[in-house]
């Protein structure tokens, strides 16, 4: 049984290697964004079907196929066409495009949570007249927002917002990236020179609707992070043109994005907030 599993793993590894090589040689070509959205929809249908079976190798293979399609997108024109064809909540993947159309994000549920394999989220960033793919740092999760902020030095800076869950804990993430010299990199904008912050809340305290452990206001000029979930006490970060500085204990009239009567306490987190 163990030998058969090894041979199966070897076979899938070979298939993934061949597929990877074909992606790099430009074998995957699409005429427009409509073809890409249609191809991705078909692959995600296959992924959902494969997720009902215990074997992880088809899941790995299909996820790599999805990566190959996304990494083959090299044209800003096609990215813009994807935006026109993509309708939020009608697909099994998330697609986001920044306001200046220089960063596109793809994220999805890989169904690999119970395995040792991790498929990174993919970003496409504008470099000259092309869109270049890159894997984003950290654990994969579903992105739901891109926020551009204005720096004193005019560098293009973005806050990528997302969420994931583990058992009864919801984690809200915010990652800062900088697009400079036609290259994307992490930006240490948060306290203690961190490039990301995370807030965690218990899932059983949010049954009444979609909460937000992190709230972005005034086009990224202020970020509020739940201190005591459901109360008016929030940690606050203000942007000074170069970085975010702590402005602790800001009292709000009401917690943003929360319904009255909702209760619960967040799991102690936000390690980047003193």
């Amino acid at each position: 049984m163990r030998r058969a599993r090894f041979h199966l793993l070897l076979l899938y590894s070979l298939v993934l290697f061949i597929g990877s090589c074909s992606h790099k040689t430009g074998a995957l070509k699409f005429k427009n964004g409509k073809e890409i959205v249609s191809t991705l929809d078909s692959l995600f249908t296959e992924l959902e079907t494969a997720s009902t079976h215990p074997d992880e190798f088809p899941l790995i293979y299909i996820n790599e196929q999805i990566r190959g399609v996304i990494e083959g997108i090299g044209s800003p024109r096609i990215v813009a066409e994807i935006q026109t064809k993509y309708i939020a909540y009608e697909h099994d993947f998330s697609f986001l495009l920044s306001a200046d159309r220089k960063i596109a994000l793809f994220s999805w549920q890989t169904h690999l949570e119970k395995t040792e394999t991790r498929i990174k989220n993919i970003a496409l960033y504008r470099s000259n007249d092309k869109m270049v793919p890159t894997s984003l740092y950290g654990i994969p999760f579903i992105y739901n927002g891109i926020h551009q902020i204005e720096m004193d030095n005019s560098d293009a800076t973005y806050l990528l917002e997302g969420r994931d869950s583990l058992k009864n804990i919801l984690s809200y993430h915010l990652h800062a990236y900088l697009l400079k010299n036609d290259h994307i990199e992490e930006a240490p904008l948060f306290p203690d020179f961190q490039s990301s912050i995370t807030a965690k809340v218990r899932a059983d305290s949010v049954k009444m609707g979609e909460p937000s452990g992190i709230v972005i206001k005034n086009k990224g000029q202020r970020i509020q992070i739940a201190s005591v979930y459901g109360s008016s006490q929030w940690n606050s970060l203000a942007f000074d043109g170069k970085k975010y500085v702590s402005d602790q204990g800001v009292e709000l009239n009401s917690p943003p994005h929360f319904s009255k009567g909702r209760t619960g306490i967040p799991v102690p987190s936000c390690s980047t907030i003193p």
Side-chain angles (χ1 to χ4, degrees):
M1 181 67 180
R2 185 175 297 178
R3 178 173 295 182
R5 183 177 177 83
F6 171 76
H7 288 155
L8 185 58
L9 177 60
L10 184 63
L11 176 61
Y12 271 100
S13 298
L14 179 61
V15 171
L16 291 177
F17 174 76
I18 294 173
S20 176
C21 291
S22 66
H23 298 157
K24 293 179 180 178
T25 56
L28 289 174
K29 295 293 184 180
F30 297 92
K31 295 179 181 179
N32 51 54
K34 181 179 179 180
E35 286 187 1
I36 291 176
V37 172
S38 177
T39 299
L40 288 175
D41 283 340
S42 296
L43 286 172
F44 279 104
T45 298
E46 294 180 23
L47 186 65
E48 288 298 318
T49 301
S51 69
T52 62
H53 300 285
D55 192 352
E56 69 187 69
F57 299 118
L59 291 175
I60 297 173
Y61 178 60
I62 297 171
N63 272 291
E64 288 295 340
Q65 284 185 302
I66 292 170
R67 281 187 60 92
V69 171
I70 297 171
E71 290 175 351
I73 303 170
S75 166
R77 173 186 61 82
I78 291 182
V79 169
E81 290 175 356
I82 292 174
Q83 184 187 34
T84 63
K85 297 299 180 182
Y86 178 85
I87 301 175
Y89 308 112
E90 292 191 6
H91 304 270
D92 290 324
F93 64 97
S94 171
F95 169 77
L96 298 169
L97 186 62
S98 61
D100 60 6
R101 300 196 172 192
K102 291 184 177 180
I103 291 185
L105 293 179
F106 290 86
S107 57
W108 64 93
Q109 185 179 4
T110 64
H111 296 290
L112 293 171
E113 295 81 4
K114 297 181 180 180
T115 73
E116 296 181 358
T117 303
R118 291 293 178 266
I119 303 294
K120 295 286 189 178
N121 295 125
I122 304 176
L124 304 174
Y125 64 91
R126 183 74 177 260
S127 179
N128 295 321
D129 59 345
K130 296 181 179 180
M131 299 299 290
V132 179
T134 185
S135 296
L136 295 177
Y137 297 98
I139 61 173
F141 53 83
I142 304 301
Y143 284 101
N144 53 30
I146 304 179
H147 309 269
Q148 285 182 236
I149 57 175
E150 297 181 0
M151 301 280 288
D152 285 348
N153 58 9
S154 300
D155 286 336
T157 308
Y158 308 86
L159 300 179
L160 311 186
E161 183 182 9
R163 191 184 87 170
D164 69 349
S165 61
L166 179 63
K167 295 183 179 179
N168 193 39
I169 303 300
L170 298 179
S171 298
Y172 296 86
H173 306 276
L174 198 61
H175 288 241
Y177 283 88
L178 177 68
L179 191 58
K180 186 176 182 180
N181 298 326
D182 295 323
H183 184 73
I184 191 172
E185 60 187 56
E186 288 184 300
L189 301 183
F190 301 117
D192 299 326
F193 301 100
Q194 298 296 309
S195 61
S196 65
I197 53 177
T198 299
K200 296 183 178 182
V201 299
R202 291 191 177 95
D204 57 9
S205 65
V206 298
K207 294 179 180 179
M208 294 178 63
E210 286 293 324
S212 183
I214 298 177
V215 177
I216 301 173
K217 304 188 73 175
N218 300 331
K219 297 182 178 180
Q221 296 302 303
R222 183 174 293 277
I223 300 172
Q224 291 157 350
I225 305 168
S227 175
V228 179
Y229 185 67
S231 80
S232 61
Q233 189 71 26
W234 286 63
N235 292 323
S236 181
L237 298 177
F239 191 65
D240 66 3
K242 296 181 180 179
K243 63 184 183 303
Y244 284 96
V245 295
S246 180
D247 183 13
Q248 293 283 22
V250 174
E251 289 286 341
L252 307 177
N253 292 329
S254 61
H257 298 291
F258 289 80
S259 299
K260 291 183 178 180
R262 189 176 303 140
T263 60
I265 304 296
V267 175
S269 178
C270 302
S271 59
T272 60
I273 306 300

